[in-house]
């Protein structure tokens, strides 16, 4: 029996690590690795995509949802370059991902050969581990180190393999060893270290929180899996819970302690609490928008994070607790005193009731064109109790953040820190692969969907019942309002006519496709799509002049908005009419 090639040994080693899926696009720069996938098809499935960026996003979604390694594959040169956006999504949101790329034959590297791109140099910023497999003897050691590093540092690892090395015999060392070394021998083993803060630090944190009169909790994605413990702490302290957008599913939105999100997409009660609290417990969050956090010196801060370098990055921290969220909260809880004064919590519960009434007023079905808030709430109402929602970046993110309820077993994923356009559909495909019996919905904008819409065919080809709902304003909606809030009239942000027929594309792929312009028909058509036995896509024409207003409009924002009108905002009449409708319905 012949020895395996490097390509086959590399894939077999990934299987030894428990990897069961590779997302990618073949090319002549990875033919040796593709042969390795063919030979190991009984252990690892290869998901063929239409664009390498989508492959990287799929690997990220797999990693975010499962905590396991996500793997993507691209050929040399331009194929590998296409991975970069998805890999930065992994880096910024701390998802363990391995990227495998090809490279030209080692004998021509440095000769300006066709498609010669040194991907190891290109990925030097994005990757925690980044190596070229230059010798067949390096496999599987480099695979082991790459996987272990990605898992341990919750980031990106990258291996690039020259074409000739891919087809060489695994384990062969073509060179004489001149130092006191031998061929590397490693094992596919990694164990997450138990991380629990020291007792003295826990007691200091408890003392600070016990002595507070207006405590608050800010929970992020790092608290995922520790939601019940976060609620227990909130109950003991009588502290309201604010969530980062990435932490939306950590604690259910219908929890009596939850005030919703924070920031431009958040709620007014959350902003009020951040301005009032005298103690803040941050759990698993590196919330970047410091303008919305308590002013330095206003509140004492306890921050729980598993990564020491993130503690104290956003706001001065009195007591850093470096540890896993669940383990740390379990150790902290017995040291906390139950607060009998519930007035702060009760006051903010009343604020949330008022906020929900204000939101409900914008979700009216009698608006024409369809209000995007009504679309988001209708989708929330008809979706399954354990649905998984993936979301794009843009105005659609605002509607999902405020009107989609992460309750019960629901999950929510998006490109949080990178805030990239277009991950919604690839995320959904990866998650449907992982959870074939769950309802997976991609809630996307027309701008993001248009970028990677070919992947709807990927869903159809694999028989994945992914549901895609497009918040279609025929524009780059968020950029419209970002230009105006800077005082500039919008420019170059609306697509105009002819409008794409996304429904026809869905049907052409063999799936369900429909376009909705009548709000009275929305719920029934969404129901049909969700019940369809296969991929489905519903294109909903929404009001393009509905601004994603912040919870509180500042004086400066209002001035800049007015300046945009004065300088010649082309759609000012329609925007003014929409704002007036919003105001009337709230009243």
């Amino acid at each position: 029996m012949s020895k395996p090639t490097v390509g086959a040994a590399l894939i077999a080693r990934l299987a030894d690590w428990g990897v069961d899926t590779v997302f990618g696009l073949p090319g002549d720069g990875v033919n040796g690795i593709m042969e390795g996938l063919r030979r190991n098809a009984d252990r690892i499935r290869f998901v063929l995509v239409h664009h390498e960026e989508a492959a990287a996003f799929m690997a990220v979604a797999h990693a975010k949802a499962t905590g396991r390694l996500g793997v993507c594959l691209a050929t040399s040169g331009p194929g590998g370059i296409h991975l970069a956006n998805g890999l930065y999504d992994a880096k910024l949101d701390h998802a363990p991902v391995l990227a495998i790329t090809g490279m030209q034959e080692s004998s021509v590297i440095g000769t300006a050969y066709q498609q010669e791109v040194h991907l190891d140099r290109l990925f030097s910023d994005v990757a925690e581990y980044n190596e070229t497999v230059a010798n067949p003897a390096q496999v599987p050691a480099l695979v082991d180190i790459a996987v272990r590093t990605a898992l341990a540092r919750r980031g990106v690892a990258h291996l690039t393999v020259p074409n000739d090395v891919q087809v060489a015999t695994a384990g062969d060392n073509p060179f004489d060893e001149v130092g006191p070394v031998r061929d590397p021998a490693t094992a596919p083993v990694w164990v997450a270290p138990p991380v629990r803060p020291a007792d003295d630090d826990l007691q200091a944190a408890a003392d600070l929180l016990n002595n507070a009169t207006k405590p608050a909790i800010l929970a992020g994605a790092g608290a995922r899996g520790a939601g019940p413990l976060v609620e227990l702490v909130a109950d003991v302290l009588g502290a309201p819970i604010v969530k980062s957008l990435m932490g939306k599913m950590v604690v259910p939105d219908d929890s009596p302690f939850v005030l919703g999100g924070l920031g431009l997409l958040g709620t007014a009660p959350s902003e009020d609490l951040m301005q009032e609290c005298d103690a803040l417990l941050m759990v698993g969050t590196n919330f970047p928008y410091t303008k919305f956090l308590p002013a330095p010196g206003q509140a004492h801060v306890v921050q729980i994070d598993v990564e020491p370098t993130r503690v104290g990055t956003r706001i001065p921290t009195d007591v850093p607790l470096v540890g896993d969220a669940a383990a740390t909260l379990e150790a902290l809880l017995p040291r906390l005193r139950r607060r009998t004064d519930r007035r702060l919590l009760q006051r903010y519960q009343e604020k949330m009731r008022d906020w929900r009434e204000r939101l409900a007023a914008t979700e009216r079905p009698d608006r024409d064109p369809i209000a995007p808030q009504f679309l988001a709430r209708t989708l929330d109402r008809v979706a399954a109790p354990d649905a998984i929602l993936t979301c794009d970046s843009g105005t659609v993110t605002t509607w999902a953040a405020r009107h989609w309820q992460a309750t019960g077993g629901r999950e929510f994923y998006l490109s949080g820190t990178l805030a990239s356009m277009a991950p919604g559909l690839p995320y959904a495909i990866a998650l449907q692969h992982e959870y074939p019996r769950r309802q997976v919905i991609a809630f996307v904008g027309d701008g993001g969907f248009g970028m990677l819409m070919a992947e709807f065919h990927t869903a159809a080809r694999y028989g994945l019942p992914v549901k895609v709902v497009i918040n279609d304003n025929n524009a780059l909606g968020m950029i419209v309002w970002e230009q105006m809030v800077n005082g500039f009239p919008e420019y170059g942000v609306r697509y105009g006519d002819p409008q794409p027929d996304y429904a026809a594309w869905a049907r052409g792929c063999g799936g369900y496709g429909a376009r909705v312009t009548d709000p009275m028909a929305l719920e029934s058509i969404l129901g049909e799509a969700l019940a369809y036995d296969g991929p489905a896509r519903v294109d909903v024409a929404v009001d393009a002049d509905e601004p994603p207003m912040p919870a509180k409009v500042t004086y400066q924002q209002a001035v800049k908005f007015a300046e945009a009108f004065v300088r010649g905002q082309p759609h000012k009449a329609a925007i003014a009419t929409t704002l007036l409708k919003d105001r009337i319905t709230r009243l």
Side-chain angles (χ1 to χ4, degrees):
M1 184 176 179
S2 62
K3 291 184 177 180
T5 63
V6 165
L10 185 154
I11 298 301
R13 195 62 161 192
L14 289 179
D16 293 342
W17 274 97
V19 172
D20 58 12
T21 307
V22 173
F23 304 96
L25 194 64
D28 60 357
V30 288
N31 278 335
I33 296 172
M34 289 301 299
E35 174 62 11
L37 283 163
R38 186 189 70 82
R39 294 187 183 188
N40 289 276
D42 59 331
R43 303 179 70 190
I44 292 183
R45 59 186 174 186
F46 176 69
V47 177
L48 173 63
V49 303
H50 284 279
H51 197 294
E52 292 92 350
E53 182 181 6
F57 278 137
M58 291 176 191
V60 175
H62 174 90
K64 285 182 178 180
T66 66
R68 305 195 309 271
L69 185 75
V71 182
C72 54
L73 170 71
T75 190
S76 55
I81 293 170
H82 283 159
L83 293 176
N85 195 47
L87 296 183
Y88 271 98
D89 186 30
K91 172 186 172 72
L92 270 61
D93 282 354
H94 314 296
V97 168
L98 170 64
I100 303 170
T101 62
M103 185 177 279
Q104 280 61 38
E105 281 81 356
S106 56
S107 62
V108 299
I109 293 175
T111 67
Y113 193 75
Q114 184 188 30
Q115 294 187 334
E116 182 181 346
V117 175
H118 291 263
L119 294 171
D120 53 335
R121 301 176 194 172
L122 180 71
F123 291 164
S124 62
D125 178 63
V126 75
E128 298 285 343
Y129 184 82
N130 183 25
E131 291 295 337
T132 300
V133 181
N135 186 323
Q138 291 176 285
V139 178
L142 262 58
V143 176
D144 289 348
I145 298 170
V147 173
R148 193 176 296 120
T149 303
L151 292 171
R153 297 182 183 172
R154 309 293 297 178
V156 176
H158 170 235
L159 293 176
T160 188
V161 191
N163 251 332
D164 52 336
V165 177
Q166 293 175 33
V167 297
T169 301
D172 282 0
N173 189 341
F175 307 110
D176 292 332
E177 293 168 345
V178 296
V181 297
R182 63 184 179 193
D183 294 349
T186 56
V189 174
W190 177 77
V191 177
V195 183
R196 177 186 179 280
D199 287 341
D200 288 348
D201 293 333
L202 288 165
Q203 189 58 52
D207 292 342
L208 186 154
L209 295 170
N210 287 333
N211 291 328
T213 59
K214 297 178 178 179
I217 298 172
L218 176 60
R224 186 184 173 201
L229 290 167
V230 174
E231 281 194 285
L232 280 174
V233 171
D235 184 36
V236 170
L237 294 178
I241 300 171
V242 176
K243 299 184 292 184
S244 71
L245 184 56
M246 289 182 63
K248 184 174 177 63
M249 63 180 170
V250 167
V251 181
D253 280 321
D254 58 358
S255 166
F257 302 101
V258 166
L259 303 185
L262 183 63
L264 291 172
L265 314 185
T267 71
S270 291
E271 283 195 45
D272 290 343
L273 181 65
M274 289 298 108
Q275 294 168 6
E276 181 181 2
C277 66
D278 63 359
L280 178 63
L281 172 61
M282 301 174 66
V283 186
T285 180
N286 193 29
F287 187 79
Y289 304 109
T290 52
K291 176 182 177 181
F292 294 96
L293 294 174
Q298 171 200 315
H300 294 293
V301 178
V302 175
Q303 185 174 354
I304 300 172
D305 203 295
V306 74
E307 171 51 57
T309 61
R310 290 197 291 266
V311 177
T313 299
R314 305 303 185 194
I315 187 171
T317 301
D318 296 85
V319 183
L321 295 179
V322 177
D324 170 78
T328 302
L329 292 175
E330 284 180 347
L332 180 64
L333 265 166
R335 304 169 188 267
L336 298 177
R337 294 194 305 268
R338 183 169 184 82
R339 189 182 309 277
T340 57
D341 184 353
R342 318 300 274 186
R343 286 176 296 178
L344 179 77
L345 179 61
Q346 291 166 358
R347 182 156 50 86
Y348 276 91
Q349 288 171 337
E350 182 60 34
K351 284 175 177 277
M352 273 308 291
R353 282 190 285 271
D354 178 66
W355 173 259
R356 291 190 181 100
E357 289 177 2
R358 292 170 58 191
L359 284 188
T362 67
E363 299 164 356
R364 293 171 61 99
D366 56 356
R367 294 272 297 278
D368 183 20
I370 296 171
Q373 300 96 321
F374 175 65
L375 165 60
R377 178 62 76 209
T378 304
L379 180 60
D380 171 71
R381 189 167 57 250
V382 300
D386 65 343
I388 300 173
L389 189 79
T390 66
C391 188
D392 264 357
S393 300
T395 56
V396 68
T397 319
T398 302
W399 317 133
R402 291 180 176 168
H403 303 272
W404 168 268
Q405 296 299 294
T407 55
R410 286 182 172 178
E411 297 181 47
F412 179 77
Y413 297 97
L414 79 166
S415 174
T417 311
L418 185 62
S420 173
M421 291 179 67
L425 177 56
Y427 270 30
I429 289 171
L431 297 179
Q432 194 74 83
H433 259 292
E434 187 65 26
Y435 305 111
R437 294 179 179 83
R438 292 183 66 177
Q439 188 181 84
V440 181
I441 304 167
F443 187 38
V444 300
D446 56 297
F449 180 75
M451 288 180 170
L452 292 175
M453 60 186 287
E455 302 308 335
F456 190 85
H457 179 254
T458 302
R461 198 173 69 251
Y462 285 98
L464 299 172
V466 167
K467 314 305 177 189
V468 182
V469 178
I470 302 181
N471 181 83
D472 191 349
N473 53 24
N474 198 33
L476 298 172
M478 185 59 77
I479 311 303
V480 171
W481 310 109
E482 287 175 340
Q483 288 180 352
M484 291 184 66
V485 84
N486 283 320
F488 308 136
E490 66 173 72
Y491 182 75
V493 288
R494 304 210 188 211
Y495 287 110
D497 294 322
Q499 293 189 36
D501 191 344
Y502 294 126
W505 166 245
R507 292 192 295 269
C509 293
Y512 175 100
R515 179 171 172 81
V516 182
T517 58
D518 179 3
M520 296 300 116
L522 179 59
E523 184 166 341
S524 64
I525 291 177
L526 285 176
E528 287 179 13
L530 293 176
Y532 183 75
D533 186 18
R537 198 211 51 74
V538 179
D539 183 12
V540 184
V542 300
D543 189 348
D545 298 309
E546 178 71 52
M549 300 295 285
K552 294 182 177 182
V553 178
T554 67
Y555 174 76
Q556 187 64 23
Q557 287 169 332
V559 167
K560 291 295 186 181
F561 205 72
E563 286 178 1
F565 272 58
V566 171
R567 290 173 177 172
Q569 168 59 28
H571 296 271
K572 58 186 176 184
I575 293 169
T577 300
T578 299
L579 288 171
L580 181 60
K581 287 179 182 177
D582 286 344
R583 194 63 169 163
I584 290 172
T585 53
R586 288 179 182 178
L587 291 174

